[in-house]
Amino acid sequence: MKEHHLHKRPPRVAEALLRWLLPRGDLGLSILGDLRQEFEEIHLTSASRFPRLWYWRSAVALGCRYIVDGSRRFPRNLAINRRLDRTMIATLLSDLRISFRMLVKTPSVSVIAILTIGLGVAICTHSFSSVYGSILRGLPVPDDNRLMLIDANRQDLGAESLEMSIHDFLDLRENQTSFEDVAAFYQGTANLAGDEGPPERYAGAFVSANALQHLAVPPLFGRLFLQDEDRPGARPVAVLAYHVWQNRFGGDPSMLGTVVRVNGQATEIVGVMPPGFRFPFNEDLWLPHRIDPDAFPRGGGRHVEAFGKLREGVSIDVARDEFAAIAGELARRFPESNANLGFGIQRFELRYMPSEIRAVMWVMLASTFGVLLVACANVANLLLARAASRTKEVAIRTALGASRFRVARQLAVESAVLALLGGLFGLVIAWWGVVVMNQAQAGIPKPFWIDVRVGLPALLFTVAVTMAASLAAGLLPALRASGIDVDATLKDEARGSSNIKLGWSSSALVVAEVAVSCALLIGAGFLIKSVVNLRNVELGFETQGVLTGRIALPEADYTDGRSRDQFFNLLKERLEQEPGVASVAVGTHLPALGSFLYYVGVEGESYATDRDYPAAYATSISSDYFRTFEVQFLEGRDFSSLEARVGGDPVTIVNESFVDRFFPDGDVLGRRIRWGISTSTEPWLTIVGVVPDMHVGGGVGGLGNDRKRPERFYLPKGLLDHSLYAVAVRSGGPPEALASRLREVVAELDANLPVFGVASLDDAIQQATWAFGMFGILFTIFGGAALFMAAVGLYGVLAFSVRQRQLEMGIRMALGQERGSIMRLILKKGVGQLSSGVAGGLAVGALMGGPMRYVLYGVEKGDISVYVSVVVTLMVTGIFACLIPARAATTADPVDAMRRA
């Protein structure tokens, strides 16, 4: 009996919700009591198969009726509520039927409204998917909001975000208490060779043994690194990314324990990570770093990047204070290496997603809301015009007893149907746009957590945007149409006129459309000009006919700088013997694709502090580097083959900007420079040649980074020890034809060495500017869509205004007013709206220039040519949209107008 009694009790949540919605006092309690009694009767008589569901439906219907009607007149006999439910559903269905009939009755308005809202929703959903997948989604690791990157800095040099020595990392990990743990990594090349396939180059993360465990992401199968496996002499082991396991090993679980050669060492595979995990950036496999701190003096050896998760309840400011204290203690204990060294803490994702790029993406999302605003304003104007043509219908329904709420609800349902269809159309377009964008960026390296897709968050966003669009587009027309004067409307309709006037509300919508369009077009103008500047930039070298590739030598097989230098010298000689090859060069960087930044001192100059030492870019190169890129010397000569080898003379070549800055007298050959600051022990380098400026590029901005200083000097390849070099081969034919031969020559020298990044120099440089092209295309689409909709909106408002005033225009002409005067009257109104919108848009566009500065090349936010171009485009488009209805206003027949009057 007890169980049966509990089963008869109404759902508690539904009962509590209804109690909150019903009127207070005896009336609400009476309704609750009646509803419970009827629930018990239904339960006992089995009148319904699902009595609890019946109670929920009844409760929701009663609550909604009370909210909507605002009335306390509820029927005491709750059996009537069943009929009430059916009545509400029937009314809704009737509204829907009328809405779909209106779709068919006014197809042009319906199609334009659906397409307009769909375009706005599509652009918004696409941008939100990009922002969510890049910024809001975060890292796919537990408690990613507490994951921080810890870096070193030198305030005396103004240097931020530096790697730290292994000694500083170990001391920091031992003394800190703000983090659950601190782990380290550095990124490098992992050449993998084995019986299962040809050698391949992978992006590797060399990590401390606790790194993967600290992230709390378990392996798909196998295990992670053990505590001592990052110590020198430990057995080499590796953990694979999921895609490497699938592609290289065919997804075979039995491959655990397989021994392969990674960077020349026999390495056992002990685990596979789950799909999508590629920490810290976009890695393919993980190896213990095995750095021996005792093998180097303090501050020397391999440097690492550190990260960790803050303890629960510990703020980033508290952690920074603790790390400042630790840095001070290390500076006291080790003044020679740590005197000016500090530690910084930031969110981990900021390391690979700079604040400038994040700001641009937020501006892009805000801009898409502007497009949606334009779309809603357009649809609102369309619905206002349609509502004006239905005033007689609305007046008759009101005269027959329909309440204002009932009329407004009908019109709101019509706008909701339009918005729903537009939202579905927009979702399809957004999905297609995301697919196209992902395909276009398939080869672009980006952080592993960036996953742009139209998933559940984007679907929920689309629903919210569609609802907002429905409300924004339909609320004003519904309120205006439902609030008409019935008597005046019926009298006006008898004479063929309308009681609804568009007035200030419609004009305000048009002004808002023009303002948003102007702002978006300014952003698009900035980016279009940036892309044009990039295409016309003077690189200072010849890109056509050059094949490029990169090679990384494993330390296990090439144990010292001399053996590494010998390999690249031999590779250069072998490639030069190939048929059709004109020249071969080796360098740490290719032109326009980055360079190392060094402090530099000029012999004979004095510097008050280390911070006063200037900085310039430097690249280590072989002989024939400039010949390969067809760069002519301005003064002096190239490196000889002996100078470019290990043990060669300490010489250097500088570019024209370097001479202008450091040797303004022009006397440069034979002068000496040295990289480093006051403590530098590097040799003095004698300048033997001067070359024209070759674009530096590189960094997150790629080629388009126009903030980098152009001063640059070149070092002989043998002077510094590098294991990773780019190879450039100039031939007389298509560069791609040499790709297979390049790989074959490398394999002949070392069968375990892969060549990666093989591409023509043109393609490599094109990939470096992807951000500019992508943002330029997106903002151009946004601005073009907004411009089109604003022009259509302006035309629609003026055209409707002309139709409403056609009688007036006919009378004016009948009384002798000239057609030109009437056209000026209509144009004056349109141009006034245009001017107001443009003024507001210019102000908003100027504000957008700041966040967008990071993705602009050769363009300042105050570039007057962009503003002038946008204003001219808007005014010409807007005036053309005004001319059509203005011309139509002069076609009214004066005789017909007088007869109608």
Side-chain angles (χ1 to χ4, degrees):
M1 288 295 294
K2 183 177 181 180
E3 180 180 353
H4 181 68
H5 174 72
L6 289 175
H7 187 66
K8 289 193 300 181
R9 181 180 177 87
R12 294 184 179 182
V13 176
E15 194 172 39
L17 178 64
L18 187 58
R19 182 179 290 111
W20 180 67
L21 294 174
L22 289 176
R24 303 292 184 266
D26 293 340
L27 178 60
L29 294 175
S30 175
I31 294 172
L32 280 171
D34 290 345
L35 186 61
R36 174 178 287 191
Q37 180 180 353
E38 189 166 356
F39 170 79
E40 293 174 353
E41 292 175 358
I42 289 174
H43 185 274
L44 292 174
T45 60
S46 301
S48 173
R49 294 180 59 188
F50 304 102
R52 296 174 67 83
L53 181 60
W54 172 90
Y55 189 94
W56 264 105
R57 186 183 64 183
S58 301
V60 170
L62 279 169
C64 290
R65 179 175 175 80
Y66 180 71
I67 292 174
V68 172
D69 290 352
S71 171
R72 298 175 182 268
R73 299 188 299 273
F74 286 86
R76 296 295 301 270
N77 183 1
L78 291 178
I80 301 176
N81 282 312
R82 296 183 186 178
R83 293 195 298 273
L84 176 62
D85 294 345
R86 288 195 293 269
T87 301
M88 293 180 64
I89 295 174
T91 302
L92 178 60
L93 292 176
S94 175
D95 289 343
L96 290 173
R97 282 194 297 269
I98 295 174
S99 299
F100 282 105
R101 280 203 299 269
M102 289 302 302
L103 287 176
V104 178
K105 186 177 179 181
T106 55
S108 58
V109 172
S110 301
V111 170
I112 292 175
I114 291 171
L115 293 180
T116 301
I117 290 182
L119 183 60
V121 169
I123 291 176
C124 265
T125 302
H126 182 279
S127 293
F128 175 80
S129 299
S130 299
V131 171
Y132 181 83
S134 303
I135 300 175
L136 300 178
R137 179 174 176 265
L139 277 72
V141 301
D143 302 315
D144 67 296
N145 60 310
R146 295 191 284 120
L147 187 65
M148 303 290 161
L149 182 77
I150 306 165
D151 50 30
N153 57 65
R154 288 285 303 271
Q155 299 298 337
D156 60 320
L157 300 177
E160 303 286 346
S161 299
L162 303 174
E163 294 180 342
M164 65 179 68
S165 71
I166 188 65
H167 310 91
D168 291 328
F169 164 71
L170 294 174
D171 286 335
L172 191 66
R173 184 170 68 176
E174 180 180 354
N175 293 291
Q176 68 85 30
T177 60
S178 298
F179 288 80
E180 294 177 354
D181 200 357
V182 175
F185 71 89
Y186 67 87
Q187 296 166 275
T189 292
N191 294 333
L192 190 151
D195 297 335
E196 70 289 338
E200 290 186 74
R201 181 265 181 186
Y202 292 105
F206 298 79
V207 301
S208 56
N210 65 329
L212 297 181
Q213 289 93 334
H214 184 48
L215 292 170
V217 177
L220 183 64
F221 59 87
R223 66 171 177 85
L224 302 178
F225 300 131
L226 303 178
Q227 181 177 357
D228 296 331
E229 287 183 330
D230 61 353
R231 294 186 177 181
R235 180 171 57 96
V237 293
V239 174
L240 300 181
Y242 178 84
H243 70 281
V244 177
W245 172 60
Q246 287 287 325
N247 299 333
R248 177 86 187 190
F249 298 93
D252 182 9
S254 64
M255 48 72 63
L256 280 182
T258 299
V259 176
V260 295
R261 286 181 62 80
V262 179
N263 289 345
Q265 288 190 319
T267 304
E268 179 185 358
I269 298 172
V270 298
V272 175
M273 296 304 289
F277 181 86
R278 302 185 67 178
F279 182 90
F281 179 73
N282 208 11
E283 316 312 318
D284 302 312
L285 57 85
W286 295 266
L287 302 161
H289 62 54
R290 296 189 299 162
I291 302 174
D292 183 5
D294 297 329
F296 309 98
R298 186 171 187 90
R302 171 73 72 173
H303 281 47
V304 298
E305 295 190 73
F307 70 94
K309 287 183 181 178
L310 287 170
R311 295 185 186 276
E312 289 280 3
V314 177
S315 69
I316 191 171
D317 291 329
V318 170
R320 284 170 176 159
D321 291 341
E322 182 190 35
F323 278 33
I326 293 174
E329 176 60 21
L330 293 177
R332 185 189 64 80
R333 292 171 54 194
F334 310 104
E336 292 186 0
S337 60
N338 290 73
N340 298 297
L341 192 70
F343 299 113
I345 302 173
Q346 62 177 321
R347 290 284 299 269
F348 187 89
E349 60 267 28
L350 294 180
R351 169 67 169 78
Y352 302 102
M353 183 62 69
S355 58
E356 294 90 347
I357 289 291
R358 295 163 71 93
V360 173
M361 297 195 72
W362 283 117
V363 168
M364 182 181 70
L365 182 60
S367 300
T368 61
F369 276 106
V371 176
L372 183 64
L373 172 63
V374 173
C376 292
N378 234 357
V379 174
N381 274 329
L382 285 172
L383 296 182
L384 268 173
R386 190 169 74 174
S389 66
R390 299 170 60 191
T391 52
K392 184 175 182 179
E393 170 199 337
V394 172
I396 292 174
R397 293 178 64 187
T398 304
L400 293 177
S403 66
R404 181 178 184 183
F405 169 78
R406 181 67 184 83
V407 173
R409 186 178 69 179
Q410 169 62 51
L411 297 175
V413 169
E414 292 178 15
S415 67
V417 169
L418 290 173
L420 177 61
L421 295 175
L424 292 174
F425 172 71
L427 184 62
V428 173
I429 297 300
W431 174 83
W432 175 80
V434 168
V435 170
V436 171
M437 186 180 72
N438 286 336
Q439 290 176 348
Q441 299 178 13
I444 305 299
K446 54 183 179 292
F448 76 98
W449 61 85
I450 293 182
D451 184 17
V452 179
R453 65 175 69 177
V454 182
L456 179 60
L459 291 175
L460 295 176
F461 177 82
T462 302
V463 172
V465 166
T466 302
M467 293 175 62
S470 171
L471 183 64
L475 182 61
L476 179 60
L479 292 177
R480 291 287 302 277
S482 63
I484 62 173
D485 184 334
V486 176
D487 293 334
T489 298
L490 293 177
K491 292 176 182 178
D492 285 343
E493 286 290 342
R495 295 181 300 166
S497 61
S498 171
N499 183 253
I500 294 183
K501 308 298 180 185
L502 297 187
W504 67 267
S505 56
S506 186
S507 298
L509 290 175
V510 171
V511 170
E513 289 184 55
V514 175
V516 172
S517 303
C518 181
L520 292 177
L521 285 173
I522 289 172
F526 283 146
L527 288 164
I528 290 172
K529 189 167 184 179
S530 295
V531 173
V532 171
N533 290 343
L534 279 170
R535 297 294 177 262
N536 298 326
V537 67
E538 182 59 46
L539 295 176
F541 58 91
E542 182 57 52
T543 62
Q544 294 183 352
V546 179
L547 178 71
T548 67
R550 299 177 71 82
I551 301 170
L553 302 180
E555 294 181 3
D557 294 336
Y558 300 86
T559 56
D560 56 30
R562 187 171 296 275
S563 63
R564 289 186 279 273
D565 183 62
Q566 288 176 348
F567 173 84
F568 285 108
N569 291 334
L570 184 58
L571 175 64
K572 182 176 183 297
E573 294 172 2
R574 291 287 300 272
L575 289 172
E576 288 173 338
Q577 298 171 8
E578 292 296 315
V581 172
S583 180
V584 178
V586 175
T588 52
H589 296 88
L590 296 169
L593 296 176
S595 190
F596 295 126
L597 185 66
Y598 288 103
Y599 289 103
V600 63
V602 177
E603 188 177 33
E605 297 290 336
S606 60
Y607 305 94
T609 66
D610 286 343
R611 191 164 188 165
D612 294 321
Y613 275 79
Y617 289 96
T619 304
S620 294
I621 62 173
S622 69
S623 58
D624 299 323
Y625 185 87
F626 301 105
R627 185 162 73 94
T628 300
F629 301 110
E630 298 186 353
V631 175
Q632 302 296 321
F633 276 78
L634 300 177
E635 294 184 66
R637 60 174 177 83
D638 195 359
F639 298 137
S640 69
S641 58
L642 291 178
E643 287 173 333
R645 297 174 182 265
V646 171
D649 293 335
V651 293
T652 185
I653 297 170
V654 299
N655 71 352
E656 195 171 7
S657 292
F658 193 97
V659 174
D660 292 341
R661 181 180 180 189
F662 298 110
F663 304 99
D665 57 3
D667 183 15
V668 60
L669 295 183
R671 303 284 292 271
R672 300 202 303 174
I673 63 172
R674 179 171 65 184
W675 77 86
I677 52 179
S678 59
T679 57
S680 174
T681 59
E682 300 298 335
W684 287 98
L685 307 175
T686 302
I687 298 174
V688 298
V690 179
V691 294
D693 291 351
M694 300 168 68
H695 197 87
V696 179
V700 178
L703 172 67
N705 192 338
D706 62 346
R707 300 302 180 279
K708 290 190 173 182
R709 296 193 63 88
E711 296 86 10
R712 195 173 189 182
F713 62 102
Y714 299 88
L715 304 171
K717 176 175 59 63
L719 196 61
L720 292 175
D721 180 20
H722 294 285
S723 60
L724 174 63
Y725 275 100
V727 179
V729 182
R730 174 170 290 283
S731 65
E736 294 81 3
L738 284 174
S740 59
R741 188 54 190 152
L742 172 61
R743 292 188 176 93
E744 291 171 0
V745 171
V746 172
E748 291 170 3
L749 297 176
D750 189 335
N752 294 320
L753 275 184
V755 184
F756 59 96
V758 178
S760 68
L761 184 57
D762 281 320
D763 289 343
I765 293 176
Q766 183 69 25
Q767 291 177 4
T769 61
W770 68 272
F772 298 88
M774 182 190 71
F775 285 117
I777 291 172
L778 289 177
F779 271 90
T780 301
I781 291 174
F782 301 160
L787 174 63
F788 172 76
M789 289 188 287
V792 171
L794 184 60
Y795 163 77
V797 170
L798 292 179
F800 184 79
S801 176
V802 167
R803 285 197 300 272
Q804 282 191 320
R805 301 176 63 186
Q806 197 160 11
L807 176 60
E808 172 195 341
M809 300 304 170
I811 295 174
R812 284 175 178 268
M813 286 189 291
L815 295 177
Q817 189 169 358
E818 296 182 355
R819 296 178 184 271
S821 175
I822 293 177
M823 285 191 67
R824 286 193 296 272
L825 182 66
I826 302 299
L827 285 173
K828 181 179 179 181
K829 178 180 180 181
V831 171
Q833 293 173 344
L834 266 175
S835 302
S836 299
V838 167
L842 289 175
V844 177
L847 294 176
M848 290 172 55
M852 291 179 63
R853 183 63 191 90
Y854 191 70
V855 290
L856 299 181
Y857 180 80
V859 183
E860 298 297 333
K861 64 180 182 179
D863 193 325
I864 192 65
S865 64
V866 173
Y867 293 97
V868 171
S869 300
V870 169
V871 171
V872 170
T873 301
L874 268 173
M875 295 302 294
V876 169
T877 305
I879 291 174
F880 182 76
C882 296
L883 279 173
I884 301 174
R887 185 175 178 82
T890 64
T891 62
D893 187 350
V895 176
D896 181 62
M898 295 300 293
R899 185 182 301 115
R900 291 169 57 195

